[in-house]
Amino acid sequence: MLCAMKTLDCDVLVIGSGLAGLMTAYHLRGWGRVLVASKRDIGESNTQYAQGGIACVVDDKDTFEAHEQDTLATGGGLCHEEAVRAIVRAGPESVRELEALGIRFERRRGRAREYDLGQEGGHSRRRVMHAGDITGRELIRVLAQRIAEEKGIELAPNLMAIDLVTTSWLRHPGLNRCLGAYFIDRGSGEILAVRADHTVLATGGAGKVYLYTSNPDIATGDGVAMGWRAGLPIRNMEFVQFHPTCLYHPQAKSFLISEAVRGEGGRLINAAGESFTERYDPRGSLAPRDVVARAIDQEMKTRGDPCVYLDITHRSADFLRERFPNIYATCLRFGYDMAKTPIPVVPAAHYFVGGVVAGVDGRTEIEGLYAVGETASTGLHGANRLASNSLLEALVCSRLCARAIAAAPKPPADTPAIPDWKIGDAVPSDEAVVVEHNWHEVRTCMWDYVGIVRTDKRLERAIRRIRNLRREIRQYYLNYLVTPDVLELRNIAAVAELVIRSAQARRESRGLHYTLDCPTPDSSGPPRDTVIRDPPGGPIAPT
Ligand code: FAD
Ligand code: SIN
C-alpha cells in the first residue's frame, strides 16, 4: 500500500542542528532555500553539551605545526595529513567568524587581549578556546538566534530523517544522485519527504550504541546508518572514543567531567587514594584519552572497584566555581563538593571517530550528498581524536561544505520525483516492549563485548547477537508502522554491526582499538583504514 505523502521542496536540506548543521546552514544564508531538520528540539545535540572547547592556534607562542603534530601523534599513524593541515590552518579564521556572530570566548583576567586557553590531554600546550565550561551551549544559543533572523533558512524541529532517497535506489539511469530524504514528524507520526538539490548529513555521533555514554539521547548514529544503507563507504568505525571521566552516580546519566579539569591539575586516584595513571603512561592523568581510559578500566578490574576518583581538592572553591561553574554546580547537586572531595568517575562512550567517508568539504561519493561533523570521516582524527578537535572539524568543514554546495552545478532537469512512502501491510505495533528490550540488548552487548578492551571471542559473540537482533528488528520494521523509537533502534543496531565488523577486520591494536589478541600495532606495512561498503538497498528498497 502507498501512503499519500506531503513533499517539501528546498535547495539545501540539512539534517541535524548541531554545530555542523547550523554552521552549514548559516554559511548558505542568502544563497537559496535551506531547511534544517532536527529530530528533537533544535538545541538538542552533542554540541549542546560540549564543555572543554575548540582547539585552535590563536596564541602567539603556538604554531600550526605543533597543533598538527599533536593531532598526528594522537591519531596513531592513521590521520590523513592533508585533512589535518586543511582543518588546523583554517581554525583561526573560522573562530573569528564565530566571534563576529557573538560568541564570547573567555579572556585572561587582567589581560583582555589574550584568550584564557584550556589544557587537555595530548596537547603539547594550552590551546583550547572556551566559553566557561558551557562552550557548546553558547555555540548553539548564538547560532540558533542568528539563523532565526535569516529569512531563507527554516528550522524544522521534531522532524526525523528515516532514509535517503537516491537515483540509484529508484533505478534511474546516470550518475547516482541524492534527491532528499523521507522523514517522520515526531508530533503527528506523519511520513513526509523533503526534496532538495543538496542534502547534508549532520546527524552527529552514536554514543547511544553503548550502555554508558556521555552523549544525549539523539546520538543514535542515524546519518552513518542512512549513509550505509544508501551504499556509501563507512570508514574506521572500530575507533570509538571512551571519555575517561564521567560522573559515577546512578542519576547523573554519565555527566561529563571535562578533561580541562585534569588540565587544571586534577589527578586520577584509585579507591586507596593512590595516583595510578603514571604506572600506565609517564604523562599520567593528561595522557591521551585512550591511554587514560584503558588505565582506568584496568585499575577498576584489577582492584574490583566500580569507579576511580578525580581529585582537584588542591584548588580553591572560588577558582573551581569560576572556571567550571556548570561542572561544580552539577557535582554539588549530586553531593560532591569538588573543592573538598574527590569525584567518583568512570569511562563512557563519548565520540565516534569513524563515519561516512567525506572530504573536508563534506562531499561524498553520491552526487548532491554531503556529510559534516561527527557523522563524517574526513581523516582528521586517524585512529584517535585529539581532545577538542571535533568542534574545530565541524566548524571548518561546514564552511567548506557550504562553499562546495554554492559552487556545485544544478542537478539535471530530468531528476525524478520522490515516490510515495510504502507502508505495505504494516499495522500499528502492539509489542512496544520488544523495541525496549532490543534497545537494551544492543547497548549491553556492545558495552560488554565491544568496549575499551576487546578480544576475538567477544567480538564473535557480539556479531552473532547483533545480527540476530538486526533480523528481528528488520521484521518488526516491515510488520509495523514505523515510530522514532524503532527507527533509532534500527540505526544503533546497524552502527553496532559496523563497529564490530571493523574491529574484526583490524588485526592489531592501534589508537582507540585495543584487542588482547593482537596487543600491538601491525608494523608490517603502512597503516590502513578499515572501509565497509555494502550494496545499497536493504530495508528501504522497494518490496
Ligand atoms: P551534534 O552536535 O550531535 O548534532 C547532531 C544533530 O543531528 C542533532 O541536532 C540531532 O538531533 C540531529 N539528528 C540526529 N539524527 C537525526 C535524524 N535522523 N533526523 C534529523 N535530525 C537528526 N568536542 C570538542 O571538540 N570539544 C569539546 O569540548 C567537546 N565536549 C563534549 C562534551 C560532551 C558531553 C559530548 C557528548 C561531546 C563533546 N565533544 C566535544 C564532541 C562534540 O561535541 C561533537 O563531536 C560535535 O558537537 C558534533 O557536532 P555535530 O554537529 O556533528 O553533531
Ligand atoms: C572535554 O571537555 O573533556 C571534552 C572535550 C572533547 O571531547 O573534545
Side-chain angles (χ1 to χ4, degrees):
M1 191 165 78
L2 290 179
C3 168
M5 194 190 61
K6 179 164 84 183
T7 299
L8 307 176
D9 241 295
C10 59
D11 297 307
V12 183
L13 163 64
V14 178
I15 308 176
S17 60
L19 180 62
L22 291 181
M23 271 318 268
T24 307
Y26 188 74
H27 284 300
L28 287 164
R29 67 194 181 282
W31 183 79
R33 289 161 308 154
V34 181
L35 179 79
V36 181
S38 194
K39 69 177 170 180
R40 289 186 188 250
D41 291 344
I42 292 300
E44 195 54 359
S45 58
N46 274 0
T47 303
Q48 172 79 15
Y49 298 91
Q51 297 180 353
I54 306 178
C56 189
V57 177
V58 286
D59 188 293
D60 289 349
K61 293 185 271 326
D62 199 2
T63 62
F64 289 136
E65 289 75 13
H67 189 179
E68 285 160 9
Q69 197 40 51
D70 293 344
T71 302
L72 295 170
T74 302
L78 265 187
C79 296
H80 293 207
E81 290 192 27
E82 43 332 325
V84 175
R85 254 193 311 278
I87 292 170
V88 163
R89 288 174 190 239
E93 199 181 341
S94 296
V95 160
R96 274 196 293 279
E97 273 171 0
L98 281 182
E99 290 185 307
L101 289 175
I103 310 275
R104 304 244 317 253
F105 291 105
E106 227 70 57
R107 306 276 173 157
R108 290 183 64 185
R109 189 177 268 190
R111 296 196 197 169
R113 291 166 64 87
E114 289 175 32
Y115 291 107
D116 176 50
L117 298 172
Q119 172 76 62
E120 294 183 6
H123 287 278
S124 54
R125 57 182 313 114
R126 286 186 173 266
R127 182 181 287 138
V128 183
M129 305 178 71
H130 61 96
D133 59 355
I134 51 162
T135 308
R137 208 190 293 173
E138 272 305 284
L139 289 171
I140 296 293
R141 186 184 67 78
V142 171
L143 280 174
Q145 248 172 30
R146 292 288 92 84
I147 285 179
E149 294 157 7
E150 295 295 331
K151 283 207 181 60
I153 307 176
E154 187 185 340
L155 295 175
N158 294 317
L159 210 50
M160 176 180 179
I162 303 174
D163 263 310
L164 299 164
V165 182
T166 61
T167 51
S168 101
W169 175 59
L170 297 178
R171 304 207 167 88
H172 184 80
L175 214 57
N176 189 14
R177 175 157 203 110
C178 184
L179 304 174
Y182 288 116
F183 283 86
I184 182 166
D185 179 323
R186 289 185 84 97
S188 63
E190 181 193 3
I191 307 281
L192 58 134
V194 179
R195 206 216 61 80
D197 291 350
H198 305 275
T199 299
V200 182
L201 286 172
T203 53
K208 293 296 280 186
V209 168
Y210 284 88
L211 191 57
Y212 301 109
T213 177
S214 65
N215 293 189
D217 290 347
I218 54 93
T220 51
D222 299 1
V224 172
M226 287 190 276
W228 184 35
R229 287 193 291 268
L232 283 176
I234 309 294
R235 185 161 63 197
N236 291 343
M237 290 297 287
E238 67 276 37
F239 299 127
V240 179
Q241 186 167 71
F242 291 81
H243 198 291
T245 56
C246 292
L247 187 59
Y248 178 68
H249 187 284
Q251 263 96 55
K253 279 195 100 184
S254 303
F255 173 75
L256 190 83
I257 309 293
S258 175
E259 195 151 313
V261 174
R262 279 173 281 139
E264 298 301 342
R267 270 180 337 137
L268 287 161
I269 55 174
N270 61 22
E274 297 157 358
S275 176
F276 62 91
T277 44
E278 296 75 12
R279 273 194 266 121
Y280 298 86
D281 190 286
R283 290 165 290 184
S285 293
L286 270 181
R289 279 182 199 169
D290 58 320
V291 177
V292 179
R294 269 199 303 279
I296 295 176
D297 187 65
Q298 181 67 34
E299 195 70 8
M300 282 164 44
K301 284 191 175 126
T302 310
R303 295 181 45 87
D305 292 336
C307 64
V308 295
Y309 297 84
L310 180 59
D311 185 0
I312 189 152
T313 50
H314 65 287
R315 291 291 205 163
S316 70
D318 284 348
F319 170 81
L320 294 172
R321 264 196 297 263
E322 186 180 336
R323 176 67 181 88
F324 303 112
N326 183 39
I327 297 173
Y328 187 84
T330 306
C331 287
L332 209 54
R333 208 160 26 127
F334 288 108
Y336 303 103
D337 181 344
M338 292 167 76
K340 294 195 179 132
T341 175
I343 321 160
V345 291
V346 283
H350 180 61
Y351 182 86
F352 273 66
V353 161
V356 171
V357 175
V360 289
D361 60 2
R363 278 191 298 173
T364 71
E365 268 187 14
I366 298 179
E367 281 296 301
L369 180 63
Y370 306 77
V372 280
E374 194 167 338
T375 298
S377 164
T378 60
L380 169 69
H381 309 302
N384 188 8
R385 175 180 68 100
L386 183 65
S388 289
N389 259 1
S390 46
L391 290 179
L392 175 71
E393 182 185 41
L395 194 59
V396 169
C397 294
S398 52
R399 183 161 173 254
L400 299 175
C401 179
R403 260 192 220 162
I405 289 173
K410 284 292 280 177
D414 70 337
T415 46
I418 296 183
D420 279 349
W421 176 257
K422 293 188 175 176
I423 58 171
D425 298 323
V427 293
S429 164
D430 56 0
E431 285 198 288
V433 65
V434 175
V435 177
E436 170 149 1
H437 178 88
N438 286 352
W439 257 94
H440 189 69
E441 208 170 330
V442 171
R443 301 181 70 207
T444 313
C445 169
M446 291 301 284
W447 185 259
D448 289 344
Y449 300 140
V450 199
I452 297 171
V453 176
R454 299 157 182 179
T455 66
D456 288 348
K457 214 164 163 183
R458 289 179 202 162
L459 293 178
E460 273 162 36
R461 243 180 233 150
I463 196 75
R464 265 201 311 274
R465 279 173 202 213
I466 293 294
R467 287 213 166 122
N468 278 339
L469 282 165
R470 289 196 69 214
R471 270 192 285 276
E472 214 172 275
I473 294 164
R474 181 181 155 78
Q475 215 43 57
Y476 195 98
Y477 177 86
L478 294 173
N479 292 347
Y480 298 108
L481 295 179
V482 293
T483 62
D485 250 12
V486 175
L487 294 168
E488 288 184 338
L489 171 63
R490 182 172 75 132
N491 291 336
I492 61 164
V495 170
E497 172 158 345
L498 288 166
V499 174
I500 303 165
R501 279 170 57 188
S502 305
Q504 286 181 313
R506 187 165 290 284
R507 303 303 303 157
E508 61 170 346
S509 289
R510 182 182 295 277
L512 296 165
H513 173 68
Y514 184 79
T515 167
L516 294 175
D517 291 303
C518 311
T520 53
D522 176 4
S523 52
S524 64
R528 49 156 194 91
D529 289 321
T530 312
V531 180
I532 294 182
R533 175 203 292 275
D534 287 317
I540 65 155
T543 51

Short mmCIF file of all heavy atoms in Angstrom, two decimals, residues 512-531:
data_model
loop_
_atom_site.label_atom_id
_atom_site.label_comp_id
_atom_site.label_asym_id
_atom_site.label_seq_id
_atom_site.Cartn_x
_atom_site.Cartn_y
_atom_site.Cartn_z
N LEU A 512 42.32 3.90 19.31
CA LEU A 512 41.21 3.57 20.19
C LEU A 512 40.81 2.10 20.14
O LEU A 512 39.96 1.66 20.91
CB LEU A 512 39.99 4.43 19.83
CG LEU A 512 40.21 5.93 20.04
CD1 LEU A 512 39.14 6.74 19.33
CD2 LEU A 512 40.24 6.27 21.51
N HIS A 513 41.37 1.35 19.19
CA HIS A 513 41.02 -0.07 19.10
C HIS A 513 42.10 -0.88 19.80
O HIS A 513 43.25 -0.91 19.37
CB HIS A 513 40.90 -0.50 17.63
CG HIS A 513 40.71 -1.97 17.47
ND1 HIS A 513 39.56 -2.62 17.87
CD2 HIS A 513 41.53 -2.94 16.98
CE1 HIS A 513 39.69 -3.92 17.61
NE2 HIS A 513 40.88 -4.13 17.08
N TYR A 514 41.70 -1.57 20.89
CA TYR A 514 42.67 -2.37 21.63
C TYR A 514 42.12 -3.78 21.79
O TYR A 514 41.01 -3.97 22.32
CB TYR A 514 42.94 -1.75 23.01
CG TYR A 514 44.01 -2.49 23.76
CD1 TYR A 514 45.36 -2.28 23.47
CD2 TYR A 514 43.68 -3.43 24.73
CE1 TYR A 514 46.34 -2.99 24.14
CE2 TYR A 514 44.66 -4.15 25.40
CZ TYR A 514 45.98 -3.92 25.09
OH TYR A 514 46.97 -4.62 25.75
N THR A 515 42.89 -4.76 21.31
CA THR A 515 42.45 -6.14 21.47
C THR A 515 43.56 -6.98 22.11
O THR A 515 44.73 -6.87 21.71
CB THR A 515 42.00 -6.78 20.13
OG1 THR A 515 41.89 -8.20 20.31
CG2 THR A 515 42.97 -6.49 19.00
N LEU A 516 43.16 -7.81 23.07
CA LEU A 516 44.15 -8.65 23.75
C LEU A 516 44.75 -9.67 22.79
O LEU A 516 45.85 -10.16 23.02
CB LEU A 516 43.49 -9.37 24.92
CG LEU A 516 43.01 -8.47 26.07
CD1 LEU A 516 42.27 -9.28 27.13
CD2 LEU A 516 44.18 -7.71 26.70
N ASP A 517 44.04 -9.98 21.69
CA ASP A 517 44.56 -10.98 20.75
C ASP A 517 45.67 -10.45 19.85
O ASP A 517 46.46 -11.22 19.33
CB ASP A 517 43.41 -11.56 19.92
CG ASP A 517 42.51 -12.42 20.79
OD1 ASP A 517 43.02 -13.38 21.40
OD2 ASP A 517 41.31 -12.10 20.90
N CYS A 518 45.72 -9.16 19.61
CA CYS A 518 46.80 -8.54 18.83
C CYS A 518 47.14 -7.23 19.55
O CYS A 518 46.69 -6.16 19.13
CB CYS A 518 46.39 -8.22 17.40
SG CYS A 518 45.60 -9.54 16.50
N PRO A 519 47.90 -7.29 20.64
CA PRO A 519 48.02 -6.12 21.51
C PRO A 519 48.95 -5.01 21.02
O PRO A 519 49.08 -3.98 21.68
CB PRO A 519 48.54 -6.71 22.82
CG PRO A 519 49.16 -8.00 22.45
CD PRO A 519 48.54 -8.49 21.20
N THR A 520 49.58 -5.17 19.86
CA THR A 520 50.49 -4.11 19.38
C THR A 520 50.09 -3.67 17.97
O THR A 520 49.37 -4.39 17.28
CB THR A 520 51.95 -4.63 19.33
OG1 THR A 520 51.95 -5.82 18.55
CG2 THR A 520 52.51 -4.91 20.71
N PRO A 521 50.60 -2.53 17.53
CA PRO A 521 50.30 -2.12 16.14
C PRO A 521 50.99 -3.05 15.15
O PRO A 521 52.05 -3.58 15.44
CB PRO A 521 50.89 -0.71 16.05
CG PRO A 521 51.17 -0.28 17.44
CD PRO A 521 51.36 -1.51 18.27
N ASP A 522 50.35 -3.24 14.01
CA ASP A 522 50.94 -4.05 12.95
C ASP A 522 51.90 -3.16 12.17
O ASP A 522 51.48 -2.21 11.52
CB ASP A 522 49.80 -4.55 12.05
CG ASP A 522 50.32 -5.33 10.85
OD1 ASP A 522 51.55 -5.54 10.76
OD2 ASP A 522 49.49 -5.71 9.99
N SER A 523 53.20 -3.50 12.23
CA SER A 523 54.17 -2.63 11.55
C SER A 523 54.67 -3.26 10.26
O SER A 523 55.66 -2.82 9.69
CB SER A 523 55.34 -2.32 12.51
OG SER A 523 55.83 -3.54 13.01
N SER A 524 53.95 -4.29 9.79
CA SER A 524 54.44 -4.99 8.59
C SER A 524 54.17 -4.19 7.31
O SER A 524 54.70 -4.50 6.26
CB SER A 524 53.81 -6.38 8.49
OG SER A 524 52.42 -6.23 8.33
N GLY A 525 53.32 -3.21 7.36
CA GLY A 525 53.03 -2.39 6.16
C GLY A 525 52.56 -1.04 6.63
O GLY A 525 52.51 -0.78 7.83
N PRO A 526 52.20 -0.16 5.69
CA PRO A 526 51.70 1.15 6.13
C PRO A 526 50.35 0.99 6.84
O PRO A 526 49.59 0.08 6.51
CB PRO A 526 51.54 1.93 4.82
CG PRO A 526 51.56 0.92 3.73
CD PRO A 526 52.23 -0.31 4.25
N PRO A 527 50.06 1.87 7.81
CA PRO A 527 48.77 1.79 8.49
C PRO A 527 47.64 1.92 7.49
O PRO A 527 47.76 2.63 6.49
CB PRO A 527 48.79 3.00 9.42
CG PRO A 527 50.20 3.43 9.52
CD PRO A 527 50.88 3.00 8.26
N ARG A 528 46.52 1.22 7.72
CA ARG A 528 45.43 1.26 6.74
C ARG A 528 44.10 1.56 7.43
O ARG A 528 43.90 1.23 8.58
CB ARG A 528 45.34 -0.05 5.97
CG ARG A 528 45.35 -1.23 6.89
CD ARG A 528 44.75 -2.50 6.41
NE ARG A 528 44.56 -3.36 7.59
CZ ARG A 528 43.48 -3.38 8.32
NH1 ARG A 528 42.45 -2.65 8.01
NH2 ARG A 528 43.39 -4.16 9.38
N ASP A 529 43.22 2.19 6.65
CA ASP A 529 41.87 2.44 7.12
C ASP A 529 41.03 1.17 6.99
O ASP A 529 41.32 0.32 6.15
CB ASP A 529 41.21 3.53 6.27
CG ASP A 529 41.81 4.91 6.52
OD1 ASP A 529 42.11 5.21 7.69
OD2 ASP A 529 41.97 5.68 5.55
N THR A 530 39.99 1.07 7.81
CA THR A 530 39.02 -0.01 7.63
C THR A 530 37.82 0.58 6.90
O THR A 530 37.22 1.53 7.39
CB THR A 530 38.51 -0.51 8.99
OG1 THR A 530 39.62 -0.74 9.84
CG2 THR A 530 37.70 -1.77 8.86
N VAL A 531 37.50 0.04 5.74
CA VAL A 531 36.36 0.60 4.99
C VAL A 531 35.33 -0.49 4.76
O VAL A 531 35.65 -1.58 4.29
CB VAL A 531 36.82 1.20 3.64
CG1 VAL A 531 35.62 1.77 2.88
CG2 VAL A 531 37.87 2.28 3.86
#
